[in-house]
Amino acid sequence: MRREERRAHILACALEVFAQKGYHSSSVSDIIKKAGVARGTFYLYFKSKRTVFDELLDDLFALLHTKVKRIDPSRGSVGVVAQMQSNIDAVMGCLIDNRPMLRLLMAGVAGLDSSFDKKLTEFYDRLVELTQHSLVQGHDMKVIRSVNVKIVSLCIIGTIKEVLYQIAMGRKMPNREILVKEILDYGLRGLLVPETASKLGFLSKRSTR
Amino acid sequence: MRREERRAHILACALEVFAQKGYHSSSVSDIIKKAGVARGTFYLYFKSKRTVFDELLDDLFALLHTKVKRIDPSRGSVGVVAQMQSNIDAVMGCLIDNRPMLRLLMAGVAGLDSSFDKKLTEFYDRLVELTQHSLVQGHDMKVIRSVNVKIVSLCIIGTIKEVLYQIAMGRKMPNREILVKEILDYGLRGLLVPETASKLGFLSKRSTR
Amino acid sequence: MRREERRAHILACALEVFAQKGYHSSSVSDIIKKAGVARGTFYLYFKSKRTVFDELLDDLFALLHTKVKRIDPSRGSVGVVAQMQSNIDAVMGCLIDNRPMLRLLMAGVAGLDSSFDKKLTEFYDRLVELTQHSLVQGHDMKVIRSVNVKIVSLCIIGTIKEVLYQIAMGRKMPNREILVKEILDYGLRGLLVPETASKLGFLSKRSTR
Amino acid sequence: MRREERRAHILACALEVFAQKGYHSSSVSDIIKKAGVARGTFYLYFKSKRTVFDELLDDLFALLHTKVKRIDPSRGSVGVVAQMQSNIDAVMGCLIDNRPMLRLLMAGVAGLDSSFDKKLTEFYDRLVELTQHSLVQGHDMKVIRSVNVKIVSLCIIGTIKEVLYQIAMGRKMPNREILVKEILDYGLRGLLVPETASKLGFLSKRSTR
DNA sequence: GATGAATGAGGCTTCATTCAT
DNA sequence: CATGAATGAAGCCTCATTCAT
C-alpha cells in the first residue's frame, strides 16, 4: 500500500505544479522538488512527464463523468430542470472544491498544442452531446423552445466554463448555490423581462436545427 | 519606413506560427524561417520571443477594443438590443475573419503562465465591465430583468468565447449571422417557452447585485 | 551449495544477456529479469555489472586455456602438425558449441575500453606465445620454414579469430572439420601451387626472427 | 570555408575520443571538451552523437575503398601477386598512418551492438568478396591452388585484421614493409618447407568450393 | 543594419548502485 | 539472505539569446 501512496503523492504534487505553471512551464524538477523525491523515483512511477499529465487529465475526466447524469425525462418538466441544475451543481461543486484540477482543466483548454487536443476535445464533445440530448428532450416535452441545439449547447457549456475560468484565475465569486442558480436562470429565462420580450417580437418559433 | 515594414512582416509571420503550433511549441527558428530573415535580425526588432507574443496579444486586444462600443441608452430598448447585437457581431466577425488572431486568443487562454495571465485578465475584465455596464443600463431602462450582473456578464462572455473556441479548433459552424442571432436570442430569452417559465415560477424579482 | 548454484545461475543468465546485446546495451535489469532474482540479490553475489563481465571473461579464458595444449615435439613432424590441428579443433569446437561464450569473446574485442583491454591482451598474448613456441619448435624440427614468428603467429590467430567472428555474427559456415582442415591447410601450405611458388622465387631462407 | 574547417575539427576530435574510449564510453561532453566548443555547437554540425560516429565510419570505409583495387589478371601471375601485395600494403599503410581511424575500425569490430553491425558487416563483406574474386581469378590462372574460397578469404582478411589489431592496441610491430611481406608470404606459401609439405601429403587437389 | 555561427543553461530520461525492511 | 524502492550522477539533446563579422 505504501507504493500506491507514494505514487498518489507524486501525482498530487504534479497536479499542483501543473495547475500553477501549466504543462509546458512545469519541469520534472519542479515536480520532484515539490514531492521531495529523487529524480529516479519519479520515473519509477511514471513513464514520462507527459504520462503524468495524461493520467491527471484522465482522472479528472473520469471524475467529471461520474458527476454528469443523463437527463431522465420521466419526471416531468420540473424534474428535468432539477436534473439540469443538479448536473451543473455537481460539476461546479467538484471543481470548485478541487482548485488544482480546475486549473488543470482550464490550462488544458489552452490546447492548440495538437497533442492534448484530442482528449480534451473528446471530453467536451461528450459534454456537448449530453447537453444537446437534454435540449431535444426538453423540446419534445414542450419545456424548451425551438433553438439551434448545436449552438445553444455550446452556449450553455460556455457559461459554465467561463465562470469556472474566473474561479480558476483566482477571482472571488459568489458561492456555488448562487452561481448555479444564476447560471441556470440565465440559461432558462434569458435576460429580458417578459413584456419586453414580447414587445421585441421574441416569440416566433424556429426549427430545432 | 522600410524598417516598420520588416517589423510588421516578422510580426505577421510570428502570428501565423503561434496560431498554428501554440506559443510553447513555436520556436524562434520557426518564425525566422517563415519570415525569411536571419536569426539576428529577429532580435534586432524584438527583445525576445515572448515580447513578440505579447505584442501580438496587445494588437489583438487593441483591435477588439475598437470593435466593442459602449452601449448608448438614448436610442431606446430596441436600440440597446441592436447595439448589443452589433457588438457581438463585430467581435465575432473580426475574429472569424482573422483566424490566426482567433487561435492566438484561444491559445492564450491556455497559458496559465501567470505572467501573461495578467494581460489576458485585464482584457477580459474590460470586456466584462462593458457588459456589466450594458446590463445595468438595460435594467435601468426596464429592458433587462434583475440579475447578478457580475455572474451574468461572465455568462454572456462565456457563450461567445465558447462558440469562438469551437471555430478556432476548426469545427464547422453555421455562418456568423446565425451564430450571432442564436447567441443573442439565447442570452435574451433563455431556453424556456414562456408558459413553462411562468409555471416554473421564474418570475420572482431579484436585486441587481 | 545452494549459494554457489544461485551465483552460477545469475552468471549464466548474464552470459546470455551479454552475448545477445553486448556489454553496454545490457542492463542489470536485463540480467535479473532473466535470472528471476531481485536487484539486491544481484549485488549480493557480484560487486558490479562490470565484475560479472570480467568473471565471465575469466571463465572463458580459463576454459580456452584448458583446450590449448603446448606442442610436444617428441612425436615427430606428423605429430606436431596433428597437435596443432588438435589445438585449433579444440578451441573452435568449444566456442562453436558455446555460442554465448563465443559472442562474448568477440564482443570483448570491441571494447577498446582500456580497462578490460588488459585482460584480453593478456589472454591473446598467451595464445600468441604458445603459437610462437610451436613455430620455433617446428622450425627446429625443420618442419616449418623460417618465418617471423611474431608476425606469423598473429596471422595464425587471426585466421581462426576471423572465422569464429563470422560464426559469432550468425553467418552460415561449413562444419567444424572442414573449417579446421581448410584453416590448417591454408596456414601450412599457403595459396600457391608449388610450381608457381618456386617460379616466383618463394624459396629464399630467412631468419626465424 | 571557416564552416567546413570547424566541422572537420570537431569530427577529428570525435575520432580521437572514439578511438581512445570506444563509442559507448565516449560522451558528447568528452568530444566538445577536446574540441573546445560549446555543447550547442556540436549539435549545430551534427544531428547526434551517433551521426558523428557513422560519418567517421563512412569516411573510413570510403578511404579504404579507394585503397583496395580489384585485381587485374591481364598482367600475369607475377602481376597478380604484386597487385595483392599492393592492396594489402595500401590498406595497412593508410591505417597505420592514421592510428585513430585504425582504432575506430577495430573498436567497430566490437559490434554485437546490432546497430553498428550492418555497416561494418557490409564493409567486410565487400572486402571478403573482393578477396574471393581474386582467389578465383588466381585459380583460373593456375597460380592459386584449389581452396574453399569462402573460408580462405576470411583467413586472409583475418591475418591482416589481427596484425592491425595488435597495432591498434599499441603493440610495437616491425615496419610496414616487413609486415606486408611476411603476411603475404604466409598467405601464399604457408608454413611448411616444401619437402615436408609433400611428405605430409599436402598435394591433393580439392574443389574450389 | 543584417547575418548566422556560437553559446550554455536547462530539459528529459536512464541506470548502476545502495539500503531499509 | 532476499527484496525492490529509492537514489542521483550522468547522458543526450533543444533552443532562446548573443555577438563578431
Short mmCIF file of all heavy atoms in Angstrom, two decimals, chain A residues 77 103 107 110 112-113 125 145 148 150 154 161-162 171-172 182 185-192 199 202 206, chain B residues 25 77 103 107 110 112 121 125 145 148 150 154 161-162 171-172 182 185-192 199 202 206:
data_model
loop_
_atom_site.label_atom_id
_atom_site.label_comp_id
_atom_site.label_asym_id
_atom_site.label_seq_id
_atom_site.Cartn_x
_atom_site.Cartn_y
_atom_site.Cartn_z
N SER A 77 -41.47 18.17 -16.31
CA SER A 77 -40.67 19.35 -16.62
C SER A 77 -39.93 19.88 -15.39
O SER A 77 -38.76 20.26 -15.47
CB SER A 77 -41.54 20.44 -17.22
OG SER A 77 -42.58 20.79 -16.31
N ARG A 103 -7.87 24.22 -12.38
CA ARG A 103 -6.85 24.95 -13.14
C ARG A 103 -6.27 24.07 -14.25
O ARG A 103 -6.00 24.54 -15.36
CB ARG A 103 -5.74 25.44 -12.21
CG ARG A 103 -6.17 26.67 -11.39
CD ARG A 103 -5.04 27.20 -10.54
NE ARG A 103 -3.93 27.73 -11.32
CZ ARG A 103 -3.87 28.97 -11.77
NH1 ARG A 103 -4.82 29.82 -11.51
NH2 ARG A 103 -2.84 29.38 -12.49
N ALA A 107 -6.26 25.09 -18.01
CA ALA A 107 -4.98 25.15 -18.70
C ALA A 107 -5.06 24.25 -19.93
O ALA A 107 -4.56 24.57 -20.99
CB ALA A 107 -3.85 24.70 -17.79
N ALA A 110 -6.07 25.45 -23.11
CA ALA A 110 -5.02 26.12 -23.84
C ALA A 110 -4.82 25.49 -25.19
O ALA A 110 -4.66 26.15 -26.20
CB ALA A 110 -3.72 26.03 -23.05
N LEU A 112 -4.50 23.92 -28.64
CA LEU A 112 -3.77 24.34 -29.83
C LEU A 112 -2.46 23.59 -29.91
O LEU A 112 -1.69 23.76 -30.83
CB LEU A 112 -3.50 25.85 -29.82
CG LEU A 112 -4.72 26.74 -29.87
CD1 LEU A 112 -4.34 28.12 -30.34
CD2 LEU A 112 -5.77 26.16 -30.81
N ASP A 113 -2.21 22.81 -28.89
CA ASP A 113 -0.94 22.11 -28.86
C ASP A 113 -1.05 20.76 -29.53
O ASP A 113 -0.18 19.94 -29.46
CB ASP A 113 -0.48 21.95 -27.41
CG ASP A 113 1.01 21.97 -27.36
OD1 ASP A 113 1.62 21.26 -28.18
OD2 ASP A 113 1.56 22.70 -26.54
N ASP A 125 -16.73 17.28 -26.23
CA ASP A 125 -17.73 16.80 -27.18
C ASP A 125 -18.79 15.97 -26.47
O ASP A 125 -19.98 16.10 -26.76
CB ASP A 125 -17.04 15.94 -28.25
CG ASP A 125 -16.37 16.81 -29.29
OD1 ASP A 125 -16.48 18.04 -29.18
OD2 ASP A 125 -15.73 16.26 -30.20
N ARG A 145 -38.04 25.83 -25.82
CA ARG A 145 -38.45 26.35 -27.11
C ARG A 145 -37.52 25.83 -28.22
O ARG A 145 -36.47 25.25 -27.94
CB ARG A 145 -38.45 27.88 -27.08
CG ARG A 145 -37.10 28.48 -26.82
CD ARG A 145 -37.17 30.00 -26.66
NE ARG A 145 -35.85 30.54 -26.40
CZ ARG A 145 -34.96 30.84 -27.36
NH1 ARG A 145 -35.27 30.64 -28.62
NH2 ARG A 145 -33.77 31.31 -27.04
N ASN A 148 -31.42 26.31 -32.01
CA ASN A 148 -30.37 25.57 -32.70
C ASN A 148 -29.58 24.83 -31.61
O ASN A 148 -28.74 25.43 -30.92
CB ASN A 148 -29.47 26.54 -33.45
CG ASN A 148 -28.40 25.82 -34.24
OD1 ASN A 148 -27.82 24.86 -33.73
ND2 ASN A 148 -28.16 26.25 -35.46
N LYS A 150 -27.20 22.82 -31.52
CA LYS A 150 -25.74 22.77 -31.60
C LYS A 150 -25.14 24.04 -30.99
O LYS A 150 -24.26 23.98 -30.13
CB LYS A 150 -25.33 22.66 -33.07
CG LYS A 150 -23.90 22.28 -33.27
CD LYS A 150 -23.60 22.00 -34.73
CE LYS A 150 -22.13 21.75 -34.95
NZ LYS A 150 -21.83 21.62 -36.40
N LEU A 154 -23.44 24.76 -26.95
CA LEU A 154 -22.14 25.40 -26.73
C LEU A 154 -22.29 26.61 -25.80
O LEU A 154 -21.44 26.84 -24.94
CB LEU A 154 -21.55 25.87 -28.07
CG LEU A 154 -21.09 24.77 -29.01
CD1 LEU A 154 -20.52 25.37 -30.29
CD2 LEU A 154 -20.03 23.89 -28.34
N LYS A 161 -18.21 27.17 -18.25
CA LYS A 161 -16.76 27.23 -18.38
C LYS A 161 -16.22 28.59 -17.98
O LYS A 161 -15.20 28.69 -17.30
CB LYS A 161 -16.36 26.95 -19.84
CG LYS A 161 -15.67 25.63 -20.05
CD LYS A 161 -15.63 25.23 -21.51
CE LYS A 161 -14.36 25.63 -22.21
NZ LYS A 161 -14.28 24.97 -23.56
N GLU A 162 -16.87 29.62 -18.42
CA GLU A 162 -16.35 30.96 -18.16
C GLU A 162 -16.35 31.29 -16.67
O GLU A 162 -15.38 31.85 -16.14
CB GLU A 162 -17.15 32.00 -18.93
CG GLU A 162 -16.58 33.40 -18.84
CD GLU A 162 -15.20 33.52 -19.46
OE1 GLU A 162 -14.84 32.63 -20.25
OE2 GLU A 162 -14.47 34.47 -19.13
N ARG A 171 -10.38 34.62 -9.18
CA ARG A 171 -11.37 35.66 -8.92
C ARG A 171 -12.32 35.25 -7.79
O ARG A 171 -12.76 34.12 -7.72
CB ARG A 171 -12.23 35.87 -10.16
CG ARG A 171 -11.64 36.76 -11.16
CD ARG A 171 -11.50 38.18 -10.57
NE ARG A 171 -11.52 39.13 -11.64
CZ ARG A 171 -10.61 39.21 -12.59
NH1 ARG A 171 -9.56 38.40 -12.54
NH2 ARG A 171 -10.71 40.08 -13.56
N LYS A 172 -12.61 36.23 -6.99
CA LYS A 172 -13.62 35.99 -5.93
C LYS A 172 -14.98 35.89 -6.59
O LYS A 172 -15.33 36.72 -7.43
CB LYS A 172 -13.63 37.16 -4.94
CG LYS A 172 -12.87 36.90 -3.66
CD LYS A 172 -13.62 37.45 -2.45
CE LYS A 172 -12.74 37.46 -1.21
NZ LYS A 172 -12.18 38.82 -0.95
N GLU A 182 -27.92 31.35 -10.70
CA GLU A 182 -27.87 32.45 -11.66
C GLU A 182 -27.59 31.93 -13.08
O GLU A 182 -28.18 32.38 -14.06
CB GLU A 182 -26.80 33.44 -11.22
CG GLU A 182 -26.95 34.82 -11.80
CD GLU A 182 -28.15 35.57 -11.21
OE1 GLU A 182 -28.47 35.34 -10.01
OE2 GLU A 182 -28.76 36.38 -11.94
N ASP A 185 -30.64 30.17 -14.30
CA ASP A 185 -31.67 31.18 -14.54
C ASP A 185 -31.42 31.90 -15.86
O ASP A 185 -32.33 32.09 -16.67
CB ASP A 185 -31.64 32.19 -13.38
CG ASP A 185 -32.98 32.86 -13.19
OD1 ASP A 185 -33.99 32.26 -13.61
OD2 ASP A 185 -33.00 33.97 -12.64
N TYR A 186 -30.16 32.27 -16.05
CA TYR A 186 -29.78 32.95 -17.29
C TYR A 186 -30.08 32.05 -18.48
O TYR A 186 -30.63 32.49 -19.49
CB TYR A 186 -28.31 33.31 -17.24
CG TYR A 186 -27.77 33.85 -18.54
CD1 TYR A 186 -28.12 35.11 -18.99
CD2 TYR A 186 -26.91 33.09 -19.34
CE1 TYR A 186 -27.64 35.61 -20.19
CE2 TYR A 186 -26.42 33.57 -20.54
CZ TYR A 186 -26.79 34.83 -20.97
OH TYR A 186 -26.32 35.31 -22.16
N GLY A 187 -29.70 30.82 -18.33
CA GLY A 187 -29.89 29.89 -19.44
C GLY A 187 -31.36 29.64 -19.74
O GLY A 187 -31.76 29.50 -20.89
N LEU A 188 -32.14 29.58 -18.71
CA LEU A 188 -33.54 29.22 -18.93
C LEU A 188 -34.38 30.43 -19.34
O LEU A 188 -35.18 30.36 -20.27
CB LEU A 188 -34.11 28.59 -17.67
CG LEU A 188 -33.48 27.24 -17.31
CD1 LEU A 188 -34.05 26.73 -15.99
CD2 LEU A 188 -33.73 26.22 -18.41
N ARG A 189 -34.19 31.52 -18.63
CA ARG A 189 -35.06 32.66 -18.88
C ARG A 189 -34.46 33.75 -19.75
O ARG A 189 -35.17 34.59 -20.28
CB ARG A 189 -35.42 33.30 -17.54
CG ARG A 189 -36.37 32.46 -16.74
CD ARG A 189 -37.14 33.36 -15.84
NE ARG A 189 -36.24 34.07 -14.92
CZ ARG A 189 -36.61 35.15 -14.25
NH1 ARG A 189 -37.81 35.68 -14.43
NH2 ARG A 189 -35.78 35.72 -13.40
N GLY A 190 -33.13 33.74 -19.84
CA GLY A 190 -32.50 34.82 -20.59
C GLY A 190 -32.54 36.11 -19.80
O GLY A 190 -32.77 36.10 -18.58
N LEU A 191 -32.32 37.19 -20.51
CA LEU A 191 -32.16 38.46 -19.82
C LEU A 191 -33.43 39.30 -19.77
O LEU A 191 -33.61 40.12 -18.87
CB LEU A 191 -31.08 39.29 -20.53
CG LEU A 191 -29.68 38.71 -20.49
CD1 LEU A 191 -28.79 39.47 -21.46
CD2 LEU A 191 -29.13 38.79 -19.06
N LEU A 192 -34.25 39.15 -20.74
CA LEU A 192 -35.34 40.09 -20.90
C LEU A 192 -36.46 39.92 -19.88
O LEU A 192 -36.75 38.82 -19.42
CB LEU A 192 -35.94 39.96 -22.29
CG LEU A 192 -34.97 40.17 -23.45
CD1 LEU A 192 -35.72 40.02 -24.78
CD2 LEU A 192 -34.30 41.53 -23.35
N LYS A 199 -42.68 42.39 -26.69
CA LYS A 199 -42.65 43.64 -27.44
C LYS A 199 -41.61 43.58 -28.56
O LYS A 199 -41.80 44.07 -29.67
CB LYS A 199 -42.31 44.79 -26.48
CG LYS A 199 -42.11 46.14 -27.18
CD LYS A 199 -41.78 47.22 -26.16
CE LYS A 199 -41.09 48.41 -26.79
NZ LYS A 199 -40.39 49.23 -25.79
N PHE A 202 -39.86 38.56 -29.68
CA PHE A 202 -39.10 37.33 -29.42
C PHE A 202 -40.01 36.15 -29.15
O PHE A 202 -39.85 35.44 -28.18
CB PHE A 202 -38.19 37.53 -28.20
CG PHE A 202 -36.85 38.06 -28.59
CD1 PHE A 202 -36.27 39.11 -27.92
CD2 PHE A 202 -36.14 37.49 -29.65
CE1 PHE A 202 -35.02 39.59 -28.27
CE2 PHE A 202 -34.89 37.96 -30.00
CZ PHE A 202 -34.33 39.02 -29.32
N ARG A 206 -38.90 28.75 -34.13
CA ARG A 206 -37.92 28.36 -35.14
C ARG A 206 -37.63 26.87 -35.03
O ARG A 206 -37.91 26.24 -34.01
CB ARG A 206 -36.63 29.16 -35.00
CG ARG A 206 -36.48 30.16 -36.17
CD ARG A 206 -35.34 31.13 -36.00
NE ARG A 206 -35.47 31.93 -34.79
CZ ARG A 206 -34.83 31.64 -33.64
NH1 ARG A 206 -34.06 30.60 -33.58
NH2 ARG A 206 -34.99 32.40 -32.59
N SER B 25 5.22 25.52 -28.43
CA SER B 25 5.75 24.65 -29.48
C SER B 25 6.33 25.43 -30.65
O SER B 25 6.90 24.84 -31.57
CB SER B 25 4.67 23.71 -29.97
OG SER B 25 4.22 22.90 -28.90
N SER B 77 -35.05 50.89 -26.02
CA SER B 77 -34.80 49.48 -25.76
C SER B 77 -34.43 48.73 -27.04
O SER B 77 -33.51 47.93 -27.04
CB SER B 77 -36.02 48.85 -25.09
OG SER B 77 -37.15 48.95 -25.91
N ARG B 103 -7.08 32.12 -33.05
CA ARG B 103 -6.36 31.00 -32.44
C ARG B 103 -5.40 31.49 -31.36
O ARG B 103 -5.23 30.87 -30.32
CB ARG B 103 -5.62 30.19 -33.49
CG ARG B 103 -6.56 29.32 -34.33
CD ARG B 103 -5.80 28.47 -35.34
NE ARG B 103 -4.94 27.49 -34.71
CZ ARG B 103 -5.30 26.26 -34.37
NH1 ARG B 103 -6.53 25.87 -34.59
NH2 ARG B 103 -4.44 25.44 -33.81
N ALA B 107 -5.47 30.22 -27.69
CA ALA B 107 -4.26 29.60 -27.16
C ALA B 107 -3.84 30.33 -25.90
O ALA B 107 -3.40 29.73 -24.93
CB ALA B 107 -3.15 29.65 -28.20
N ALA B 110 -4.95 29.35 -22.68
CA ALA B 110 -4.35 28.13 -22.18
C ALA B 110 -3.27 28.38 -21.15
O ALA B 110 -3.21 27.76 -20.10
CB ALA B 110 -3.75 27.40 -23.36
N LEU B 112 -2.05 30.03 -18.54
CA LEU B 112 -1.99 29.98 -17.08
C LEU B 112 -0.56 30.29 -16.70
O LEU B 112 -0.07 29.86 -15.67
CB LEU B 112 -2.40 28.63 -16.54
CG LEU B 112 -3.88 28.30 -16.60
CD1 LEU B 112 -4.18 27.10 -15.72
CD2 LEU B 112 -4.72 29.47 -16.13
N THR B 121 -6.21 38.76 -18.33
CA THR B 121 -7.19 39.06 -17.31
C THR B 121 -7.70 40.49 -17.44
O THR B 121 -8.90 40.76 -17.42
CB THR B 121 -6.55 38.87 -15.92
OG1 THR B 121 -6.17 37.50 -15.80
CG2 THR B 121 -7.54 39.21 -14.82
N ASP B 125 -11.39 41.57 -18.23
CA ASP B 125 -12.02 42.42 -17.23
C ASP B 125 -12.71 43.61 -17.89
O ASP B 125 -13.82 43.98 -17.54
CB ASP B 125 -10.96 42.95 -16.25
CG ASP B 125 -10.64 41.90 -15.20
OD1 ASP B 125 -11.24 40.81 -15.28
OD2 ASP B 125 -9.80 42.16 -14.34
N ARG B 145 -34.19 42.24 -16.91
CA ARG B 145 -34.65 41.89 -15.58
C ARG B 145 -33.50 41.98 -14.58
O ARG B 145 -32.34 42.13 -14.96
CB ARG B 145 -35.26 40.48 -15.58
CG ARG B 145 -34.27 39.40 -15.94
CD ARG B 145 -34.95 38.04 -16.08
NE ARG B 145 -33.97 37.02 -16.44
CZ ARG B 145 -33.19 36.39 -15.57
NH1 ARG B 145 -33.29 36.66 -14.28
NH2 ARG B 145 -32.32 35.50 -16.00
N ASN B 148 -27.78 39.00 -11.36
CA ASN B 148 -26.47 39.26 -10.79
C ASN B 148 -25.56 39.63 -11.95
O ASN B 148 -25.09 38.77 -12.71
CB ASN B 148 -25.97 37.99 -10.08
CG ASN B 148 -24.62 38.22 -9.43
OD1 ASN B 148 -23.75 38.88 -10.00
ND2 ASN B 148 -24.45 37.68 -8.23
N LYS B 150 -22.60 40.56 -12.30
CA LYS B 150 -21.25 40.02 -12.35
C LYS B 150 -21.25 38.62 -12.98
O LYS B 150 -20.50 38.33 -13.91
CB LYS B 150 -20.69 39.94 -10.93
CG LYS B 150 -19.20 39.68 -10.88
CD LYS B 150 -18.68 39.80 -9.46
CE LYS B 150 -17.20 39.45 -9.37
NZ LYS B 150 -16.75 39.48 -7.97
N LEU B 154 -20.37 37.34 -17.12
CA LEU B 154 -19.46 36.24 -17.45
C LEU B 154 -20.15 35.22 -18.35
O LEU B 154 -19.56 34.68 -19.28
CB LEU B 154 -18.98 35.54 -16.18
CG LEU B 154 -18.04 36.34 -15.29
CD1 LEU B 154 -17.65 35.52 -14.08
CD2 LEU B 154 -16.80 36.76 -16.07
N LYS B 161 -17.29 33.22 -26.20
CA LYS B 161 -15.98 32.57 -26.19
C LYS B 161 -16.06 31.11 -26.63
O LYS B 161 -15.24 30.64 -27.41
CB LYS B 161 -15.40 32.62 -24.77
CG LYS B 161 -14.19 33.50 -24.64
CD LYS B 161 -13.86 33.80 -23.21
CE LYS B 161 -12.83 32.85 -22.62
NZ LYS B 161 -12.38 33.36 -21.28
N GLU B 162 -17.04 30.42 -26.13
CA GLU B 162 -17.11 29.00 -26.42
C GLU B 162 -17.37 28.74 -27.90
O GLU B 162 -16.75 27.87 -28.51
CB GLU B 162 -18.20 28.32 -25.59
CG GLU B 162 -18.25 26.81 -25.72
CD GLU B 162 -16.99 26.15 -25.21
OE1 GLU B 162 -16.24 26.80 -24.45
OE2 GLU B 162 -16.73 24.99 -25.59
N ARG B 171 -13.82 23.52 -35.93
CA ARG B 171 -15.15 22.92 -36.07
C ARG B 171 -16.00 23.67 -37.09
O ARG B 171 -15.98 24.90 -37.13
CB ARG B 171 -15.89 22.98 -34.74
CG ARG B 171 -15.50 21.92 -33.78
CD ARG B 171 -15.97 20.54 -34.27
NE ARG B 171 -16.29 19.68 -33.14
CZ ARG B 171 -15.39 19.25 -32.26
NH1 ARG B 171 -14.12 19.58 -32.41
NH2 ARG B 171 -15.75 18.49 -31.25
N LYS B 172 -16.73 22.93 -37.84
CA LYS B 172 -17.68 23.56 -38.79
C LYS B 172 -18.81 24.18 -37.99
O LYS B 172 -19.38 23.55 -37.11
CB LYS B 172 -18.25 22.50 -39.73
CG LYS B 172 -17.59 22.48 -41.09
CD LYS B 172 -18.62 22.23 -42.20
CE LYS B 172 -17.92 21.92 -43.52
NZ LYS B 172 -17.99 20.48 -43.85
N GLU B 182 -28.45 33.50 -32.76
CA GLU B 182 -28.77 32.43 -31.80
C GLU B 182 -28.20 32.74 -30.42
O GLU B 182 -28.85 32.54 -29.39
CB GLU B 182 -28.23 31.10 -32.32
CG GLU B 182 -28.86 29.86 -31.70
CD GLU B 182 -30.28 29.63 -32.20
OE1 GLU B 182 -30.60 29.99 -33.35
OE2 GLU B 182 -31.08 29.09 -31.39
N ASP B 185 -30.22 35.55 -28.96
CA ASP B 185 -31.54 35.04 -28.62
C ASP B 185 -31.48 34.24 -27.32
O ASP B 185 -32.30 34.40 -26.42
CB ASP B 185 -32.00 34.14 -29.77
CG ASP B 185 -33.51 34.03 -29.81
OD1 ASP B 185 -34.18 34.94 -29.31
OD2 ASP B 185 -34.00 33.02 -30.32
N TYR B 186 -30.45 33.40 -27.24
CA TYR B 186 -30.27 32.59 -26.03
C TYR B 186 -30.07 33.48 -24.82
O TYR B 186 -30.68 33.29 -23.76
CB TYR B 186 -29.08 31.66 -26.20
CG TYR B 186 -28.69 30.93 -24.94
CD1 TYR B 186 -29.49 29.89 -24.44
CD2 TYR B 186 -27.53 31.27 -24.25
CE1 TYR B 186 -29.14 29.23 -23.28
CE2 TYR B 186 -27.17 30.60 -23.09
CZ TYR B 186 -27.97 29.58 -22.61
OH TYR B 186 -27.64 28.92 -21.47
N GLY B 187 -29.23 34.48 -25.02
CA GLY B 187 -28.94 35.36 -23.90
C GLY B 187 -30.14 36.16 -23.47
O GLY B 187 -30.36 36.42 -22.28
N LEU B 188 -30.93 36.58 -24.43
CA LEU B 188 -32.06 37.45 -24.08
C LEU B 188 -33.26 36.67 -23.60
O LEU B 188 -33.88 37.02 -22.59
CB LEU B 188 -32.43 38.30 -25.30
CG LEU B 188 -31.35 39.30 -25.74
CD1 LEU B 188 -31.79 40.03 -26.99
CD2 LEU B 188 -31.03 40.27 -24.62
N ARG B 189 -33.59 35.62 -24.29
CA ARG B 189 -34.83 34.90 -23.95
C ARG B 189 -34.63 33.66 -23.12
O ARG B 189 -35.57 33.12 -22.55
CB ARG B 189 -35.54 34.49 -25.24
CG ARG B 189 -36.08 35.69 -26.01
CD ARG B 189 -37.23 35.21 -26.83
NE ARG B 189 -36.79 34.22 -27.79
CZ ARG B 189 -37.61 33.38 -28.42
NH1 ARG B 189 -38.91 33.41 -28.14
NH2 ARG B 189 -37.15 32.51 -29.29
N GLY B 190 -33.41 33.12 -23.15
CA GLY B 190 -33.19 31.86 -22.45
C GLY B 190 -33.83 30.71 -23.19
O GLY B 190 -34.17 30.83 -24.38
N LEU B 191 -34.00 29.62 -22.51
CA LEU B 191 -34.44 28.40 -23.17
C LEU B 191 -35.93 28.14 -23.09
O LEU B 191 -36.51 27.49 -23.94
CB LEU B 191 -33.71 27.20 -22.55
CG LEU B 191 -32.20 27.14 -22.76
CD1 LEU B 191 -31.62 26.06 -21.87
CD2 LEU B 191 -31.90 26.86 -24.22
N LEU B 192 -36.54 28.62 -22.05
CA LEU B 192 -37.91 28.17 -21.77
C LEU B 192 -38.96 28.80 -22.68
O LEU B 192 -38.82 29.93 -23.13
CB LEU B 192 -38.27 28.50 -20.33
CG LEU B 192 -37.37 27.89 -19.27
CD1 LEU B 192 -37.87 28.29 -17.89
CD2 LEU B 192 -37.34 26.37 -19.42
N LYS B 199 -44.94 28.93 -15.25
CA LYS B 199 -45.33 27.76 -14.47
C LYS B 199 -44.25 27.37 -13.46
O LYS B 199 -44.53 26.99 -12.33
CB LYS B 199 -45.59 26.58 -15.42
CG LYS B 199 -45.87 25.25 -14.74
CD LYS B 199 -46.11 24.16 -15.77
CE LYS B 199 -45.86 22.78 -15.17
NZ LYS B 199 -45.62 21.78 -16.25
N PHE B 202 -40.52 31.26 -12.62
CA PHE B 202 -39.35 32.06 -12.96
C PHE B 202 -39.73 33.51 -13.14
O PHE B 202 -39.41 34.13 -14.15
CB PHE B 202 -38.74 31.53 -14.26
CG PHE B 202 -37.67 30.51 -14.01
CD1 PHE B 202 -37.64 29.33 -14.73
CD2 PHE B 202 -36.68 30.73 -13.07
CE1 PHE B 202 -36.67 28.40 -14.52
CE2 PHE B 202 -35.69 29.80 -12.86
CZ PHE B 202 -35.68 28.62 -13.58
N ARG B 206 -35.25 39.79 -8.44
CA ARG B 206 -34.10 39.75 -7.54
C ARG B 206 -33.24 40.99 -7.73
O ARG B 206 -33.34 41.67 -8.74
CB ARG B 206 -33.27 38.49 -7.76
CG ARG B 206 -33.36 37.56 -6.54
CD ARG B 206 -32.76 36.19 -6.80
NE ARG B 206 -33.33 35.50 -7.94
CZ ARG B 206 -32.78 35.51 -9.15
NH1 ARG B 206 -31.69 36.17 -9.37
NH2 ARG B 206 -33.35 34.86 -10.13
#
